[in-house]
Amino acid sequence: MDVQDYVAAIVFGALIGIAARAVLPGRQNIGVIPTVLIGMGAALAGTWASDRWNVHSDLHFTVTGRTFDWAVIGVQIGIAVVGVAIAALLVKAFSTDRVRD
């Protein structure tokens, strides 16, 4: 893992955050910017975790000369889904826009 791998993970993380939000069922009351930031953090965490736990597959794809591993992408999306779900729960728990009965 070199610095370029982590930079690519941050850039790719924006897409991962949006994908995680699409995969998560129901409506999430968090904005686009927090979603993208969660995706970036998940991409970094997923890259680190995959490297530490040696999670890799033989299935790869290439974008502009950089090769990505599908197993690592799966770990990243999984972490992003959990992150978006936690953020949505926290926003709902601390929201002041509750309907009064």
Side-chain angles (χ1 to χ4, degrees):
M1 256 319 120
D2 60 359
V3 174
Q4 290 179 344
D5 291 329
Y6 285 100
V7 171
I10 290 170
V11 172
F12 201 61
L15 297 174
I16 288 173
I18 294 168
R21 190 170 175 158
V23 168
L24 195 64
R27 179 175 164 85
Q28 297 85 36
N29 290 327
I30 60 174
V32 174
I33 292 174
T35 300
V36 169
L37 291 175
I38 290 168
M40 289 178 177
L44 286 173
T47 300
W48 178 83
S50 296
D51 189 40
R52 292 287 180 241
W53 298 326
N54 199 23
V55 175
H56 299 286
S57 72
D58 294 332
L59 302 172
H60 298 90
F61 65 97
T62 304
V63 177
T64 63
R66 305 248 351 127
T67 302
F68 296 95
D69 186 341
W70 280 109
V72 174
I73 299 299
V75 171
Q76 292 171 339
I77 290 175
I79 291 172
V81 166
V82 171
V84 169
I86 290 171
L89 287 173
L90 288 173
V91 167
K92 186 175 182 180
F94 293 106
S95 176
T96 59
D97 296 336
R98 295 184 186 185
V99 176
R100 306 241 184 232
D101 292 329

XYZ file of all heavy atoms in Angstrom:
747
model
N 0.842 -1.175 0.000
C 0.000 0.000 0.000
C 0.884 1.233 0.000
O 1.678 1.422 0.899
C -0.773 0.032 1.302
C -2.233 -0.343 1.387
S -3.409 0.130 0.207
C -3.911 -1.476 -0.290
N 0.703 2.057 -0.978
C 1.448 3.308 -0.995
C 0.482 4.484 -0.897
O -0.722 4.309 -0.816
C 2.344 3.407 -2.228
C 1.564 3.347 -3.536
O 0.327 3.212 -3.489
O 2.182 3.459 -4.599
N 1.024 5.680 -0.886
C 0.217 6.892 -0.718
C -0.810 7.020 -1.842
O -1.954 7.427 -1.604
C 1.137 8.134 -0.659
C 0.327 9.408 -0.639
C 2.046 8.058 0.549
N -0.447 6.649 -3.049
C -1.383 6.751 -4.176
C -2.603 5.858 -3.982
O -3.699 6.208 -4.401
C -0.682 6.395 -5.484
C 0.326 7.432 -5.913
C 1.020 7.047 -7.211
O 0.961 5.890 -7.620
N 1.645 8.007 -7.853
N -2.430 4.722 -3.342
C -3.570 3.842 -3.069
C -4.559 4.511 -2.120
O -5.768 4.409 -2.307
C -3.096 2.517 -2.477
C -2.347 1.670 -3.486
O -2.667 1.753 -4.684
O -1.431 0.933 -3.067
N -4.048 5.197 -1.129
C -4.931 5.881 -0.188
C -5.600 7.096 -0.825
O -6.775 7.371 -0.565
C -4.170 6.273 1.085
C -3.909 5.080 1.974
C -2.673 4.456 1.982
C -4.913 4.562 2.781
C -2.441 3.352 2.774
C -4.689 3.458 3.577
C -3.457 2.847 3.578
O -3.230 1.744 4.354
N -4.886 7.810 -1.685
C -5.490 8.947 -2.397
C -6.603 8.447 -3.315
O -7.696 9.023 -3.374
C -4.425 9.742 -3.181
C -5.068 10.772 -4.083
C -3.451 10.406 -2.227
N -6.357 7.346 -4.026
C -7.391 6.760 -4.885
C -8.586 6.304 -4.056
O -9.735 6.448 -4.477
C -6.820 5.593 -5.672
N -8.320 5.781 -2.855
C -9.411 5.338 -1.975
C -10.267 6.516 -1.543
O -11.491 6.401 -1.449
C -8.845 4.616 -0.758
N -9.658 7.666 -1.289
C -10.427 8.854 -0.896
C -11.310 9.308 -2.046
O -12.500 9.583 -1.865
C -9.483 9.982 -0.441
C -8.852 9.617 0.894
C -10.229 11.301 -0.326
C -7.735 10.540 1.315
N -10.748 9.391 -3.245
C -11.523 9.829 -4.406
C -12.643 8.834 -4.696
O -13.793 9.213 -4.918
C -10.602 10.000 -5.635
C -11.405 10.272 -6.884
C -9.603 11.117 -5.383
N -12.314 7.560 -4.665
C -13.306 6.523 -4.915
C -14.329 6.467 -3.789
O -15.460 6.039 -3.974
C -12.589 5.179 -5.077
C -13.391 4.147 -5.801
C -13.802 4.356 -7.105
C -13.735 2.975 -5.171
C -14.545 3.397 -7.766
C -14.478 2.017 -5.825
C -14.883 2.229 -7.130
N -13.937 6.930 -2.608
C -14.823 6.929 -1.445
C -16.071 7.757 -1.623
O -17.121 7.442 -1.067
N -15.967 8.837 -2.388
C -17.160 9.645 -2.659
C -18.224 8.793 -3.335
O -19.407 8.839 -2.968
C -16.797 10.845 -3.516
N -17.819 7.991 -4.285
C -18.761 7.102 -4.966
C -19.244 5.992 -4.037
O -20.409 5.585 -4.086
C -18.102 6.497 -6.209
C -17.694 7.493 -7.285
C -16.917 6.792 -8.384
C -18.911 8.197 -7.847
N -18.369 5.527 -3.178
C -18.735 4.465 -2.245
C -19.795 4.950 -1.254
O -20.730 4.227 -0.922
C -17.486 3.929 -1.523
C -16.654 3.119 -2.519
C -17.836 3.102 -0.305
C -15.327 2.673 -1.994
N -19.676 6.173 -0.778
C -20.674 6.726 0.136
C -22.045 6.803 -0.496
O -23.054 6.459 0.119
N -22.079 7.237 -1.739
C -23.355 7.321 -2.456
C -23.915 5.926 -2.711
O -25.116 5.699 -2.562
C -23.181 8.137 -3.746
C -22.854 9.595 -3.370
C -24.416 8.063 -4.623
C -22.377 10.449 -4.521
N -23.036 4.966 -3.046
C -23.491 3.584 -3.250
C -24.032 2.997 -1.951
O -25.056 2.304 -1.962
C -22.343 2.730 -3.784
N -23.385 3.290 -0.842
C -23.852 2.778 0.453
C -25.223 3.333 0.785
O -26.089 2.615 1.287
C -22.859 3.146 1.550
N -25.429 4.588 0.489
C -26.729 5.201 0.755
C -27.810 4.570 -0.119
O -28.949 4.392 0.319
C -26.641 6.697 0.494
C -27.841 7.431 0.971
C -27.611 8.910 0.907
N -28.827 9.582 1.269
C -28.889 10.805 1.701
N -27.793 11.505 1.822
N -30.037 11.351 2.008
N -27.461 4.222 -1.355
C -28.423 3.576 -2.246
C -28.742 2.152 -1.792
O -29.864 1.689 -1.945
C -27.881 3.568 -3.674
N -27.757 1.468 -1.219
C -27.949 0.087 -0.774
C -28.771 0.037 0.513
O -29.566 -0.877 0.711
C -26.578 -0.595 -0.551
C -26.707 -1.912 0.172
C -25.876 -0.790 -1.877
N -28.610 1.019 1.372
C -29.297 1.052 2.665
C -30.791 1.303 2.455
O -31.169 2.283 1.833
C -28.686 2.148 3.541
C -29.009 2.129 5.011
C -28.454 0.857 5.654
C -28.409 3.340 5.685
N -31.654 0.415 2.951
C -33.093 0.609 2.735
C -33.634 1.775 3.561
O -33.094 2.129 4.606
C -33.702 -0.717 3.194
C -32.731 -1.284 4.139
C -31.370 -0.794 3.705
N -34.695 2.364 3.086
C -35.350 3.454 3.799
C -34.726 4.801 3.482
O -33.777 4.916 2.733
N -35.306 5.814 4.096
C -34.841 7.184 3.874
C -33.831 7.567 4.948
O -34.061 7.350 6.128
C -36.039 8.130 3.907
C -35.694 9.568 3.724
C -36.957 10.411 3.655
N -36.676 11.808 3.853
C -36.301 12.635 2.883
N -36.181 12.178 1.665
N -36.053 13.896 3.131
N -32.727 8.156 4.516
C -31.727 8.656 5.442
C -31.784 10.183 5.411
O -31.730 10.781 4.353
C -30.315 8.199 5.056
C -30.123 6.700 5.090
C -30.547 6.027 3.816
O -30.372 6.568 2.740
N -31.130 4.862 3.936
N -31.895 10.781 6.575
C -32.009 12.235 6.668
C -30.653 12.895 6.867
O -30.512 13.797 7.667
C -32.953 12.614 7.814
C -34.381 12.253 7.497
O -34.788 12.314 6.352
N -35.131 11.875 8.503
N -29.649 12.420 6.149
C -28.347 13.065 6.201
C -28.063 13.638 4.823
O -28.562 13.150 3.823
C -27.227 12.105 6.652
C -27.095 10.918 5.714
C -27.449 11.645 8.064
C -25.928 10.019 6.017
N -27.277 14.662 4.780
C -26.999 15.343 3.528
C -25.980 14.620 2.667
O -25.409 13.598 3.050
N -25.753 15.203 1.506
C -24.812 14.613 0.544
C -23.382 14.722 1.059
O -22.601 13.774 0.944
C -24.960 15.289 -0.834
C -23.906 14.797 -1.792
C -26.346 15.030 -1.399
N -23.037 15.863 1.644
C -21.654 16.057 2.103
C -21.290 15.056 3.205
O -20.242 14.410 3.115
C -21.417 17.517 2.534
C -21.483 18.410 1.300
C -20.080 17.671 3.254
C -21.414 19.888 1.576
N -22.128 14.866 4.239
C -21.786 13.824 5.224
C -21.719 12.433 4.606
O -20.875 11.626 4.993
C -22.905 13.908 6.256
C -23.436 15.287 6.142
C -23.283 15.647 4.701
N -22.583 12.160 3.638
C -22.560 10.861 2.973
C -21.239 10.651 2.262
O -20.631 9.581 2.348
C -23.727 10.749 1.969
O -24.959 10.904 2.672
C -23.723 9.412 1.261
N -20.771 11.664 1.545
C -19.499 11.573 0.827
C -18.343 11.435 1.823
O -17.426 10.633 1.620
C -19.306 12.783 -0.105
C -17.895 12.850 -0.644
C -20.308 12.724 -1.255
N -18.381 12.196 2.913
C -17.317 12.101 3.918
C -17.285 10.720 4.569
O -16.206 10.164 4.816
C -17.492 13.190 4.975
C -17.242 14.619 4.493
C -17.572 15.616 5.600
C -15.820 14.796 4.009
N -18.453 10.155 4.832
C -18.514 8.795 5.379
C -17.937 7.810 4.365
O -17.192 6.898 4.728
C -19.959 8.415 5.762
C -20.397 9.225 6.978
C -20.083 6.916 6.038
C -21.885 9.151 7.257
N -18.267 8.002 3.097
C -17.718 7.138 2.049
C -16.206 7.224 1.959
O -15.522 6.212 1.791
N -15.677 8.431 2.085
C -14.222 8.596 2.057
C -13.566 7.904 3.255
O -12.556 7.213 3.102
C -13.861 10.080 2.052
C -14.172 10.767 0.772
S -13.763 12.513 0.932
C -14.142 13.079 -0.709
N -14.154 8.094 4.422
C -13.621 7.422 5.604
C -13.722 5.910 5.489
O -12.801 5.179 5.859
N -14.833 5.436 4.936
C -15.027 3.993 4.750
C -14.037 3.439 3.730
O -13.543 2.317 3.884
C -16.452 3.704 4.307
N -13.747 4.212 2.712
C -12.773 3.768 1.708
C -11.391 3.621 2.334
O -10.688 2.637 2.093
C -12.735 4.742 0.541
N -11.018 4.605 3.141
C -9.724 4.504 3.827
C -9.709 3.332 4.808
O -8.760 2.546 4.840
C -9.415 5.802 4.561
C -9.015 6.978 3.691
C -8.916 8.247 4.523
C -7.694 6.703 3.005
N -10.779 3.220 5.608
C -10.848 2.133 6.579
C -10.901 0.768 5.885
O -10.260 -0.188 6.344
C -12.074 2.310 7.476
N -11.637 0.683 4.787
C -11.729 -0.574 4.047
C -10.413 -0.965 3.404
O -10.042 -2.139 3.381
N -9.694 0.024 2.886
C -8.376 -0.248 2.307
C -7.420 -0.727 3.389
O -6.700 -1.709 3.213
C -7.817 1.017 1.628
O -8.721 1.420 0.602
C -6.462 0.764 1.016
N -7.435 -0.044 4.529
C -6.567 -0.430 5.631
C -6.928 -1.826 6.151
O -6.050 -2.670 6.363
C -6.682 0.604 6.751
C -5.854 0.262 7.941
C -4.521 0.519 8.117
C -6.290 -0.430 9.113
N -4.115 0.046 9.335
C -5.177 -0.549 9.973
C -7.511 -0.942 9.516
C -5.252 -1.164 11.207
C -7.592 -1.566 10.752
C -6.478 -1.668 11.573
N -8.231 -2.072 6.372
C -8.673 -3.360 6.910
C -8.359 -4.503 5.946
O -7.898 -5.571 6.368
C -10.168 -3.319 7.214
N -8.592 -4.271 4.662
C -8.307 -5.309 3.674
C -6.820 -5.631 3.630
O -6.423 -6.788 3.461
C -8.768 -4.863 2.292
O -10.163 -4.712 2.272
N -6.002 -4.609 3.776
C -4.553 -4.809 3.788
C -4.127 -5.573 5.043
O -3.325 -6.503 4.975
C -3.850 -3.452 3.701
C -2.360 -3.580 3.478
O -1.951 -4.450 2.699
O -1.609 -2.786 4.086
N -4.672 -5.185 6.198
C -4.301 -5.822 7.467
C -4.775 -7.269 7.533
O -4.083 -8.131 8.068
C -4.895 -5.061 8.653
C -4.302 -3.715 8.847
C -2.884 -3.849 9.411
N -2.314 -2.538 9.587
C -1.224 -2.107 8.973
N -0.562 -2.885 8.167
N -0.778 -0.899 9.183
N -5.993 -7.553 7.049
C -6.566 -8.891 7.130
C -6.326 -9.709 5.870
O -6.859 -10.812 5.737
C -8.058 -8.810 7.426
C -8.359 -8.155 8.740
C -7.626 -8.212 9.879
C -9.494 -7.350 9.041
N -8.223 -7.490 10.874
C -9.377 -6.944 10.393
C -10.590 -6.925 8.306
C -10.321 -6.143 11.009
C -11.531 -6.126 8.941
C -11.387 -5.744 10.272
N -5.558 -9.157 4.943
C -5.199 -9.836 3.691
C -6.436 -10.311 2.926
O -6.525 -11.454 2.486
C -4.241 -10.993 3.971
C -3.499 -11.407 2.728
O -3.356 -10.621 1.786
N -3.004 -12.632 2.709
N -7.423 -9.420 2.793
C -8.647 -9.712 2.038
C -8.426 -9.261 0.602
O -8.342 -8.071 0.323
C -9.862 -8.973 2.641
C -11.101 -9.178 1.787
C -10.098 -9.417 4.065
N -8.295 -10.230 -0.293
C -8.083 -9.924 -1.703
C -8.736 -11.012 -2.541
O -8.977 -12.112 -2.071
C -6.592 -9.831 -2.026
C -5.888 -8.758 -1.258
N -6.037 -7.424 -1.536
C -5.051 -8.822 -0.192
C -5.322 -6.713 -0.695
N -4.712 -7.538 0.141
N -9.036 -10.685 -3.771
C -9.625 -11.668 -4.681
C -8.865 -11.651 -6.000
O -7.995 -10.819 -6.225
C -11.105 -11.349 -4.919
O -11.233 -10.200 -5.724
N -9.245 -12.565 -6.867
C -8.648 -12.609 -8.203
C -9.425 -11.750 -9.189
O -9.032 -11.641 -10.346
C -8.611 -14.057 -8.712
C -7.667 -14.917 -7.879
O -6.703 -14.353 -7.317
O -7.888 -16.138 -7.803
N -10.528 -11.152 -8.748
C -11.352 -10.326 -9.626
C -10.956 -8.863 -9.475
O -11.047 -8.301 -8.383
C -12.828 -10.507 -9.289
C -13.348 -11.940 -9.379
C -14.753 -12.020 -8.837
C -13.291 -12.424 -10.805
N -10.515 -8.265 -10.569
C -10.055 -6.880 -10.558
C -10.694 -6.109 -11.708
O -11.157 -6.699 -12.672
C -8.532 -6.817 -10.711
C -7.796 -7.484 -9.605
N -7.448 -8.808 -9.648
C -7.356 -7.018 -8.419
C -6.808 -9.134 -8.544
N -6.741 -8.052 -7.770
N -10.693 -4.788 -11.578
C -11.064 -3.927 -12.692
C -10.106 -2.740 -12.707
O -9.510 -2.393 -11.683
C -12.533 -3.490 -12.629
C -12.872 -2.610 -11.458
C -12.916 -1.229 -11.604
C -13.173 -3.157 -10.218
C -13.240 -0.412 -10.538
C -13.503 -2.344 -9.146
C -13.535 -0.974 -9.305
N -9.954 -2.145 -13.880
C -8.982 -1.074 -14.049
C -9.688 0.207 -14.464
O -10.541 0.196 -15.345
C -7.934 -1.456 -15.106
O -7.328 -2.689 -14.718
C -6.868 -0.397 -15.238
N -9.321 1.311 -13.813
C -9.825 2.636 -14.154
C -8.609 3.546 -14.288
O -7.864 3.721 -13.313
C -10.790 3.180 -13.077
C -11.255 4.582 -13.412
C -11.969 2.251 -12.885
N -8.437 4.101 -15.450
C -7.321 5.009 -15.779
C -5.981 4.495 -15.259
O -5.218 5.215 -14.613
C -7.569 6.443 -15.248
O -7.638 6.428 -13.832
C -8.826 7.045 -15.844
N -5.706 3.255 -15.518
C -4.414 2.685 -15.173
C -4.291 2.168 -13.755
O -3.291 1.549 -13.406
N -5.273 2.408 -12.891
C -5.247 1.908 -11.517
C -6.120 0.660 -11.436
O -7.234 0.638 -11.931
C -5.777 2.951 -10.535
C -5.053 4.243 -10.638
C -4.182 4.711 -9.544
N -4.133 4.054 -8.287
C -2.982 3.655 -7.752
N -1.863 3.805 -8.402
N -2.971 3.118 -6.566
N -5.636 -0.366 -10.805
C -6.365 -1.619 -10.671
C -7.004 -1.690 -9.288
O -6.358 -1.410 -8.286
C -5.410 -2.811 -10.863
O -4.805 -2.700 -12.153
C -6.158 -4.121 -10.779
N -8.275 -2.054 -9.265
C -9.032 -2.169 -8.022
C -9.485 -3.607 -7.836
O -9.847 -4.283 -8.776
C -10.247 -1.240 -8.036
C -9.882 0.220 -8.105
C -9.843 0.869 -9.324
C -9.564 0.919 -6.964
C -9.508 2.208 -9.409
C -9.227 2.262 -7.035
C -9.192 2.907 -8.250
N -9.503 -4.041 -6.597
C -9.894 -5.398 -6.231
C -11.348 -5.383 -5.763
O -11.727 -4.573 -4.910
C -8.975 -5.879 -5.110
C -9.170 -7.326 -4.739
O -10.223 -7.900 -5.066
O -8.261 -7.883 -4.118
N -12.168 -6.280 -6.305
C -13.579 -6.312 -5.946
C -13.797 -6.650 -4.473
O -14.740 -6.164 -3.848
C -14.343 -7.286 -6.836
C -14.682 -6.704 -8.168
C -14.124 -7.043 -9.369
C -15.627 -5.674 -8.454
N -14.667 -6.281 -10.368
C -15.596 -5.429 -9.838
C -16.497 -4.921 -7.674
C -16.405 -4.488 -10.451
C -17.303 -3.979 -8.284
C -17.248 -3.771 -9.663
N -12.949 -7.487 -3.900
C -13.103 -7.832 -2.485
C -12.874 -6.606 -1.604
O -13.604 -6.378 -0.637
C -12.134 -8.949 -2.099
N -11.881 -5.798 -1.943
C -11.601 -4.580 -1.183
C -12.766 -3.603 -1.331
O -13.198 -2.990 -0.348
C -10.273 -3.937 -1.647
C -10.042 -2.604 -0.962
C -9.109 -4.880 -1.381
N -13.305 -3.483 -2.536
C -14.461 -2.610 -2.768
C -15.647 -3.083 -1.923
O -16.369 -2.278 -1.327
C -14.850 -2.578 -4.267
C -13.698 -2.035 -5.118
C -16.119 -1.771 -4.487
C -13.280 -0.628 -4.796
N -15.840 -4.394 -1.832
C -16.921 -4.933 -0.999
C -16.760 -4.581 0.463
O -17.727 -4.204 1.135
N -15.531 -4.672 0.973
C -15.263 -4.294 2.369
C -15.536 -2.809 2.559
O -16.151 -2.391 3.545
C -13.810 -4.650 2.758
C -13.441 -4.066 4.112
C -13.609 -6.153 2.763
N -15.098 -1.993 1.616
C -15.312 -0.550 1.707
C -16.796 -0.205 1.718
O -17.251 0.612 2.526
C -14.614 0.161 0.549
C -13.109 0.100 0.637
C -12.425 0.620 -0.619
O -13.017 0.669 -1.695
N -11.174 1.011 -0.467
N -17.566 -0.804 0.827
C -19.006 -0.533 0.773
C -19.687 -1.022 2.053
O -20.569 -0.353 2.590
C -19.645 -1.143 -0.485
C -19.160 -0.372 -1.720
C -21.173 -1.109 -0.406
C -19.622 -0.940 -3.040
N -19.271 -2.176 2.568
C -19.836 -2.673 3.819
C -19.608 -1.711 4.977
O -20.526 -1.410 5.749
N -18.397 -1.187 5.093
C -18.101 -0.221 6.143
C -18.893 1.064 5.920
O -19.410 1.666 6.868
C -16.582 0.058 6.211
C -15.847 -1.183 6.725
C -16.276 1.258 7.108
C -14.342 -1.094 6.646
N -19.033 1.490 4.669
C -19.794 2.706 4.366
C -21.270 2.534 4.703
O -21.903 3.465 5.208
C -19.622 3.086 2.898
N -21.845 1.368 4.418
C -23.255 1.124 4.745
C -23.467 1.243 6.251
O -24.411 1.897 6.712
C -23.712 -0.264 4.227
C -25.037 -0.677 4.837
C -23.814 -0.250 2.713
N -22.575 0.647 7.029
C -22.678 0.741 8.485
C -22.521 2.200 8.922
O -23.274 2.688 9.781
C -21.627 -0.167 9.165
C -21.566 0.081 10.660
C -21.928 -1.625 8.882
N -21.565 2.913 8.336
C -21.354 4.321 8.692
C -22.541 5.201 8.367
O -22.951 6.045 9.184
N -23.137 5.020 7.197
C -24.313 5.805 6.810
C -25.491 5.469 7.718
O -26.238 6.354 8.138
C -24.666 5.583 5.315
C -26.025 6.165 4.974
C -23.601 6.194 4.415
N -25.653 4.190 8.052
C -26.750 3.791 8.943
C -26.588 4.418 10.326
O -27.552 4.929 10.901
C -26.800 2.266 9.057
N -25.372 4.398 10.862
C -25.131 5.007 12.176
C -25.378 6.507 12.121
O -26.014 7.077 13.019
C -23.704 4.685 12.667
C -23.604 3.202 13.019
C -23.321 5.555 13.862
C -22.197 2.720 13.297
N -24.904 7.164 11.071
C -25.123 8.607 10.926
C -26.607 8.925 10.830
O -27.085 9.889 11.440
C -24.384 9.134 9.705
N -27.358 8.123 10.068
C -28.800 8.357 9.937
C -29.507 8.181 11.284
O -30.403 8.946 11.629
C -29.392 7.409 8.896
N -29.089 7.172 12.056
C -29.683 6.955 13.376
C -29.357 8.108 14.325
O -30.217 8.546 15.097
C -29.193 5.635 13.970
C -29.767 4.372 13.354
C -29.058 3.137 13.921
C -31.260 4.285 13.598
N -28.118 8.594 14.272
C -27.735 9.717 15.129
C -28.492 10.986 14.759
O -28.941 11.721 15.641
C -26.227 9.964 15.042
C -25.351 8.923 15.735
C -23.886 9.184 15.433
C -25.609 8.908 17.224
N -28.664 11.234 13.466
C -29.423 12.413 13.027
C -30.868 12.301 13.494
O -31.450 13.262 13.990
C -29.344 12.582 11.492
C -30.367 13.576 10.999
C -27.944 13.018 11.092
N -31.440 11.117 13.368
C -32.825 10.915 13.800
C -32.961 11.061 15.318
O -33.908 11.663 15.803
C -33.305 9.532 13.363
C -34.763 9.291 13.625
C -35.199 7.962 13.068
C -36.671 7.747 13.287
N -37.129 6.473 12.751
N -31.985 10.554 16.062
C -32.050 10.616 17.521
C -31.906 12.044 18.047
O -32.541 12.407 19.050
C -30.962 9.734 18.128
N -31.101 12.844 17.383
C -30.842 14.196 17.868
C -31.562 15.266 17.071
O -31.302 16.445 17.244
C -29.334 14.473 17.869
C -28.595 13.629 18.875
C -27.827 12.567 18.456
C -28.710 13.910 20.218
C -27.146 11.781 19.370
C -28.029 13.117 21.150
C -27.249 12.062 20.735
N -32.496 14.872 16.218
C -33.242 15.819 15.400
C -34.231 16.606 16.268
O -34.881 16.059 17.155
C -33.995 15.092 14.291
O -34.777 15.988 13.561
N -34.352 17.887 15.993
C -35.322 18.721 16.705
C -36.617 18.860 15.919
O -37.533 19.522 16.382
C -34.724 20.122 16.963
O -34.378 20.706 15.713
C -33.520 20.032 17.869
N -36.698 18.249 14.760
C -37.881 18.347 13.901
C -38.836 17.188 14.141
O -39.386 16.623 13.228
C -37.477 18.370 12.430
C -36.672 19.578 12.076
O -36.795 20.590 12.783
O -35.915 19.512 11.098
N -39.055 16.830 15.379
C -39.942 15.717 15.690
C -41.383 16.174 15.678
O -41.721 17.274 16.099
C -39.615 15.145 17.040
C -38.235 14.536 17.067
C -37.961 13.905 18.375
N -36.561 13.478 18.368
C -36.000 12.809 19.316
N -36.694 12.471 20.372
N -34.747 12.448 19.241
N -42.243 15.301 15.245
C -43.675 15.583 15.233
C -44.212 15.291 16.634
O -44.013 14.226 17.196
C -44.388 14.689 14.188
C -45.879 14.922 14.243
C -43.826 14.961 12.812
N -44.899 16.239 17.183
C -45.457 16.079 18.536
C -46.840 15.438 18.441
O -47.657 15.806 17.618
C -45.576 17.438 19.202
C -44.273 18.200 19.202
C -43.832 18.479 20.605
N -42.636 19.297 20.546
C -41.531 18.989 21.176
N -41.478 17.908 21.891
N -40.483 19.760 21.104
N -47.087 14.474 19.317
C -48.396 13.804 19.346
C -49.368 14.538 20.221
O -49.116 15.199 21.119
C -48.254 12.364 19.852
C -47.491 11.512 18.848
O -47.605 11.790 17.639
O -46.800 10.573 19.284
